[in-house]
Amino acid sequence: MIAAVVLAAGLSRRMGQDKLLLPLNGQTVFTYSVDLVADLSFDQRVLVTNTPEIKDYAQRHGCEVVPSPDAALGMGHSVAAGAQAVGQRMEAGEGSLNADQPFLTAELVHTLCKTCLDTDKITVPRIDGRPSSPCVFPKRFLPELMTLTGDQGGKRVYRQYPEQTVFVDWTEERTLVDLDDPETYQRYR
């Protein structure tokens, strides 16, 4: 099966405050992704964060929590920390979810995981021709994920292997929204 890695260690530079701790429809932004992962049948659930509140919540909901000491240097460091935590215990692949995508659905995540298992390819959602996240990687890409650094996460890997990547076109734009800046947060709040 697939292991889930929730990335929740970013610095929220564009938001100007920790976006994952903002309120959203009676919850906190990060809780949506943790709850989603807890409700789905993943082999492993890992959350990468440096925030005590997020760590406590994730542990109470069945996630192994790992820090990303170099998160300030870019998303790649957090992706690597999650991949290293998943390690070789993973059976088939890893799904990397961003904690700032509170509208992800079980249907989309299930579709991405099933497509990855069926095709044995990196699986990336796409909206209006634009790739998005979350991405699901077959196990053979784990060594590359474990060594990522800098500002690019899984995108760097799937761009290197276009012949090993399949896109899943998705029509519901809200599902893939990242709450990256105040304008987007206000629009969806």
Side-chain angles (χ1 to χ4, degrees), residues 24 34 53 56 76 103 117 122 137 174:
L24 184 68
V34 174
E53 180 180 339
D56 294 345
F103 308 117
L117 291 171
I122 301 168
F137 298 86
R174 180 177 187 209

Side-chain angles (χ1 to χ4, degrees), residues 38-106:
D39 288 344
L40 295 174
S41 58
F42 287 106
D43 280 347
Q44 295 173 263
R45 293 166 185 86
V46 172
L47 183 129
V48 182
T49 191
N50 297 319
T51 305
E53 180 180 339
I54 296 173
K55 175 184 176 181
D56 294 345
Y57 186 91
Q59 286 176 326
R60 287 195 314 271
H61 288 81
C63 292
E64 173 187 351
V65 177
V66 296
S68 180
D70 295 323
L73 301 176
M75 177 191 280
H77 296 276
S78 296
V79 173
Q84 289 165 9
V86 168
Q88 296 303 317
R89 296 176 292 162
M90 163 180 52
E91 288 182 30
E94 175 193 314
S96 294
L97 295 86
N98 295 328
D100 66 351
Q101 288 184 294
F103 308 117
L104 288 177
T105 63

Side-chain angles (χ1 to χ4, degrees), residues 140-179:
R140 69 182 174 280
F141 293 99
L142 185 64
E144 301 220 27
L145 294 172
M146 293 171 88
T147 59
L148 286 173
T149 59
D151 287 332
Q152 284 194 334
K155 185 184 294 186
R156 181 184 304 164
V157 177
Y158 74 72
R159 283 184 172 170
Q160 286 179 341
Y161 299 97
E163 71 288 347
Q164 290 296 311
T165 301
V166 62
F167 293 96
V168 172
D169 289 313
W170 204 251
T171 57
E172 191 178 327
E173 187 169 347
R174 180 177 187 209
T175 304
L176 297 171
V177 166
D178 290 310
L179 298 182

